[in-house]
Amino acid sequence: MALYKHQSLKIYNSISGEKEEFKPITEGYVGMYVCGPTVYSNVHLGNCRTFISFDLVFRYLKHLGYKIRYVRNITDAGHLENDGEEGEDRIAKKAKLMEIEPMEVVQKYSVDFHQILQKFNNLPPSIEPTATGHIIEQIETIKTILDKGLAYEVKGNVYFDVMKYNESQHYGKLSGRKIEDLISNTRELAGQSDKKNPQDFALWKKAEPQHIMRWPSPWGIGFPGWHLECTVMSSKYLGDQFDIHGGGMDLKFPHHECEIAQGHASTGKDPVNYWMHANMLTLNGKKMSKSTGNNILPRELFTGENENLSKAYTAPVVRFFMLQANYRSILDFSDEALSASEKGFNKLMDSLETLKSIKASKSSDFDVSEWRKKCYEAMNDDFNSPILIAHLFEAVKQINLAKANRIKFTQEHIDLLDKTMKDFIFDVMGLEDGENNSKSKDNTNDFEELIHFLIEMRNHARLNKNFETSDKIRDKLLEMKVELKDSREGTTFEIQS
């Protein structure tokens, strides 16, 4: 029987502002859409955090036994500068600067995006559609919205009529905005005079002669509005209504607000049941910005070539760091925090090796079943990874106590502990202890082999009543933060932090 039948998952729904029990539209099946990148530059660390957050969601839903279709788009056209209605297409602008074709820009940065997420061990989505691959569908959706009287065409541009839509629906219900406040806070900007109202947004834009991203349409040569692509691709692959829509907090307004309006205008239904938004990443307490130099690219993390870093960090350590905060919380990135995470990550991985050496007893001093239940309770509480990590470290503590012969485990509990830790560390959290961490692992193994060798020397000295040598070995190991524990069963050791 699937795990989800025994778990009560709650998700914080941005549209209600509350944690709600998750009930998919179709039992056992989940449809999830996450806004992907606009591929005109290298993926930045804040984007990585968002996609790692939703990879955690994807992994946990899979772990619970749901059949899940995860759709994440690639924006390769229509996203204008400053997320506005005017200006150049970001990809077209970069193509001009680089003196290459727009699709070369798309290819270059799509490859970078995939390589970085693969390094972070993100699972690929089920479908990864592109905006340019769905121009026909976007045109058809615009026709539908026009036919329903919720959009209008002016000089080759098609705009969504927000005021008309708001007569029967609430434009602003996701972000908590009221149309009256939007009107009073909006200035008439140059180039927007064709609109009936400043709040109206573009479904289709006329392409000026210099605009190199352009397609034929019933309204002339042009290109689709940025908001439209997500409405079209999510509904095509997940249906008019689906379970989860995710993205960064910065997309809540206007992008996701416009998606709701477009979806309802074209189908008469609210498109999404659960809206999820991941919060931002700061660096040393300040917003990340390339212009101020307060910025780190993912590849700089792996090489250490950034003035904010004292050393290089592996992708699993960075991923572990990002999961130490709930996805809805602001997370501050710093060299000190990464260094602490690296130590914690190594302790977590070392505990799995230690567990292999624990000898089974006839009774247990630690209730593994109750601990396992708490791990699921943490993840069922809106994917609360920091609480899950705290529970995992409680298990690390118990494993180290068992290694020191201070508590006991039955074989059944050892097996359950091993399986549960691996389930959450590898399958759910997506951490790796493979080649990315092979160097530190090899060093750990070498160090432990040295400790075992010195313990053998000490035992030999004690057997020959050479207590001076025996004490020197013990004291030297203590200097190396290795504490020896002698018992009737033999000598064990604990590496202190």
Side-chain angles (χ1 to χ4, degrees), residues 54 76 78 92 106 109 154 178 189 235 254 288 307 342 344 359 391 393 397 414:
F54 287 105
D76 57 353
V106 169
Y109 294 113
V154 182
K178 294 181 179 179
L189 301 177
S235 62
M288 285 195 179
E307 62 181 18
E342 185 176 54
K359 293 181 179 179
H391 291 320
F393 275 101
K397 176 184 175 183
I414 290 173

Side-chain angles (χ1 to χ4, degrees), residues 310-357:
S310 62
K311 56 174 284 187
Y313 294 95
T314 65
V317 166
V318 179
R319 183 182 176 100
F320 179 63
F321 163 74
M322 290 191 181
L323 295 177
Q324 287 178 286
N326 182 264
Y327 73 93
R328 289 191 291 116
S329 303
I330 293 174
L331 177 62
D332 189 53
F333 212 83
S334 69
D335 190 55
E336 293 78 10
L338 278 174
S339 181
S341 289
E342 185 176 54
K343 292 175 183 175
F345 175 84
N346 288 334
K347 281 184 179 180
L348 194 60
M349 294 304 172
D350 289 345
S351 70
L352 294 175
E353 290 298 313
T354 303
L355 187 57
K356 294 177 183 178
S357 65

Side-chain angles (χ1 to χ4, degrees), residues 77 204 206-216 221-224:
W204 187 265
K206 178 183 178 181
E208 300 301 328
Q210 70 273 15
H211 200 100
I212 57 179
M213 302 284 274
R214 51 204 293 130
W215 292 267
I221 302 297
F223 55 93

Side-chain angles (χ1 to χ4, degrees), residues 249-260:
M249 195 76 76
D250 57 319
L251 297 179
K252 187 183 286 188
F253 186 87
H255 186 57
H256 290 162
E257 201 73 74
C258 293
E259 280 190 60
I260 292 174

Side-chain angles (χ1 to χ4, degrees), residues 231-349:
T231 293
V232 167
M233 290 187 282
S234 61
S235 62
K236 176 168 182 174
Y237 298 110
L238 299 174
D240 293 342
Q241 287 185 299
F242 56 96
D243 299 300
I244 298 172
H245 192 315
M249 195 76 76
D250 57 319
L251 297 179
K252 187 183 286 188
F253 186 87
H255 186 57
H256 290 162
E257 201 73 74
C258 293
E259 280 190 60
I260 292 174
Q262 291 166 159
H264 198 283
S266 60
T267 69
K269 305 171 185 175
D270 283 337
V272 181
N273 284 351
Y274 301 86
W275 284 92
M276 297 179 67
H277 292 92
N279 217 323
M280 66 187 295
L281 190 67
T282 58
L283 176 59
N284 297 320
K286 300 177 182 177
K287 185 178 179 179
M288 285 195 179
S289 170
K290 290 181 182 178
S291 60
T292 62
N294 195 53
N295 184 61
I296 300 176
L297 288 174
R299 292 190 189 278
E300 293 172 339
L301 277 169
F302 310 144
T303 63
E305 295 173 357
N306 187 290
E307 62 181 18
N308 291 289
L309 301 172
S310 62
K311 56 174 284 187
Y313 294 95
T314 65
V317 166
V318 179
R319 183 182 176 100
F320 179 63
F321 163 74
M322 290 191 181
L323 295 177
Q324 287 178 286
N326 182 264
Y327 73 93
R328 289 191 291 116
S329 303
I330 293 174
L331 177 62
D332 189 53
F333 212 83
S334 69
D335 190 55
E336 293 78 10
L338 278 174
S339 181
S341 289
E342 185 176 54
K343 292 175 183 175
F345 175 84
N346 288 334
K347 281 184 179 180
L348 194 60
M349 294 304 172

